[in-house]
Amino acid sequence: MALFQSSTRNIPDAPRAPRHVAVIMDGNGRWAKQRFLPRVAGHQRGVKTLRELVLTCLDMKIEYLTVFAFSSENWRRPADEVSFLMELFVKVLKREFKHLHKDNVRLKIIGDRSRLGDKLNHLITETEALTANNTALTFTVAANYGGRWDIMQATQAMLRAHPEFIDGFSEDDLAAYLSMSYAPEPDLFIRTGGEQRISNFLLWQLAYTELYFTDTLWPAFDRTELEKAIASYQHRERRFGRISEQLQQDKPVA
Ligand code: FPP
């Protein structure tokens, strides 16, 4: 049984303030280049921005924040940048996990962890366990994540548990095995850095998410920028396949 309503099978609540915000944090390298700094300085500054975003989400009572830290395709980057990013994840987790816990944040990592290395895996396991019962904000970091990978691993896990589903299964059956089965689908997706694409992020979960793109580079994405994205979201009409007039009625039957 799925925990949350699917946007294709039901008409979910469309809260005025987004309950779940998903972010592609793009533009670190360009931010650094504009300042004649090495690319990695942009990632370092990006961590500061992310830390502030977590605090802002807590303040705004956003329940779920999900960020794309490293895609399954990011291994194609120069080897020294990849290893810098992995070291950065370890350093940041070591430094931040106590603060996250104190702030009542539940940390979840999604993605294929088999390539992340022992040190990082160990830290992830520890931090997830420590923060598992926290309730203010569920903060998910996608690391070595790909939307297609997620759908494939879910299909495999589902069929392993239910071989009889080979003859047919429902969306809810599959959704229960996706990495983010613990969260509602995102209400608002934000991508910084000027590109307008999903880049193999939460392919399944973004089916009816409102998309917001900004030219602002990730290190410069502050509270005012988040407020702009939320204001844009609040002007959208979330019809989930219905026509405008139906929205006046109270939750018609799908
Ligand atoms: C995209 O900018 C950014 C990344 C691939 C890395 C994002 C990671 C962080 C902000 C650190 C997060 C840390 C933790 C612990 C979650 P880019 O390098 O593609 O920028 P560009 O498009 O300007 O080159």
Side-chain angles (χ1 to χ4, degrees):
M1 226 349 235
L3 273 177
F4 294 102
Q5 290 191 327
S6 149
S7 58
T8 49
R9 310 226 323 118
N10 304 280
I11 298 167
D13 291 333
R16 232 187 99 62
R19 187 177 177 203
H20 183 176
V21 177
V23 187
I24 295 188
M25 311 178 286
D26 199 8
N28 291 347
R30 278 166 287 162
W31 182 91
K33 199 169 168 200
Q34 282 173 1
R35 287 158 182 80
F36 306 102
L37 295 167
R39 288 180 55 80
V40 293
H43 296 317
Q44 252 156 349
R45 184 52 195 253
V47 173
K48 185 166 180 277
T49 302
L50 181 56
R51 201 164 176 268
E52 278 158 18
L53 181 65
V54 169
L55 296 176
T56 305
C57 286
L58 280 167
D59 190 43
M60 290 182 171
K61 304 208 175 338
I62 288 168
E63 291 173 60
Y64 297 86
L65 171 67
T66 303
V67 300
F68 210 0
F70 196 85
S71 77
S72 36
E73 289 73 51
N74 283 149
W75 297 105
R76 299 170 184 164
R77 292 187 173 214
D80 55 349
E81 182 169 336
V82 170
S83 57
F84 178 89
L85 278 169
M86 291 300 148
E87 285 298 317
L88 186 66
F89 297 153
V90 169
K91 216 158 71 186
V92 170
L93 257 186
K94 266 191 188 158
R95 195 179 64 205
E96 299 294 339
F97 77 95
K98 282 196 197 112
H99 300 288
L100 291 172
H101 188 44
K102 185 177 76 47
D103 288 338
N104 197 15
V105 175
R106 171 168 71 146
L107 181 81
K108 302 282 266 181
I109 307 291
I110 56 168
D112 179 359
R113 281 167 58 172
S114 64
R115 270 184 91 176
L116 295 183
D118 290 346
K119 212 167 18 167
L120 190 49
N121 264 298
H122 182 69
L123 266 170
I124 289 171
T125 307
E126 237 180 6
T127 313
E128 283 188 334
L130 176 75
T131 63
N133 297 317
N134 292 346
T135 53
L137 170 72
T138 298
F139 173 40
T140 302
V141 176
N144 194 20
Y145 178 87
R148 290 185 179 181
W149 165 84
D150 198 5
I151 294 167
M152 285 168 68
Q153 71 75 27
T155 310
Q156 194 176 17
M158 180 192 71
L159 288 175
R160 197 174 285 137
H162 296 279
E164 72 280 11
F165 284 1
I166 196 82
D167 293 322
F169 54 88
S170 69
E171 275 191 20
D172 286 348
D173 290 333
L174 184 66
Y177 290 89
L178 292 168
S179 330
M180 288 206 77
S181 58
Y182 56 83
E185 294 172 24
D187 300 297
L188 172 63
F189 162 94
I190 299 169
R191 180 173 186 145
T192 62
E195 311 289 352
Q196 303 200 355
R197 52 179 171 259
I198 306 290
S199 297
N200 198 16
F201 196 22
L202 304 162
L203 295 181
W204 177 283
Q205 296 85 346
L206 293 176
Y208 271 103
T209 301
E210 296 298 327
L211 308 180
Y212 177 84
F213 299 97
T214 172
D215 289 337
T216 302
L217 304 175
W218 175 250
F221 190 87
D222 58 10
R223 185 182 178 118
T224 309
E225 294 291 330
L226 178 66
E227 284 168 352
K228 272 195 239 169
I230 292 175
S232 163
Y233 165 84
Q234 286 170 335
H235 284 95
R236 313 278 178 93
E237 188 178 73
R238 303 193 71 191
R239 295 196 295 274
F240 296 104
R242 294 167 293 172
I243 63 168
S244 200
E245 286 74 8
Q246 288 176 290
L247 300 189
Q248 314 315 320
Q249 300 158 23
D250 204 14
K251 281 213 166 185
V253 177

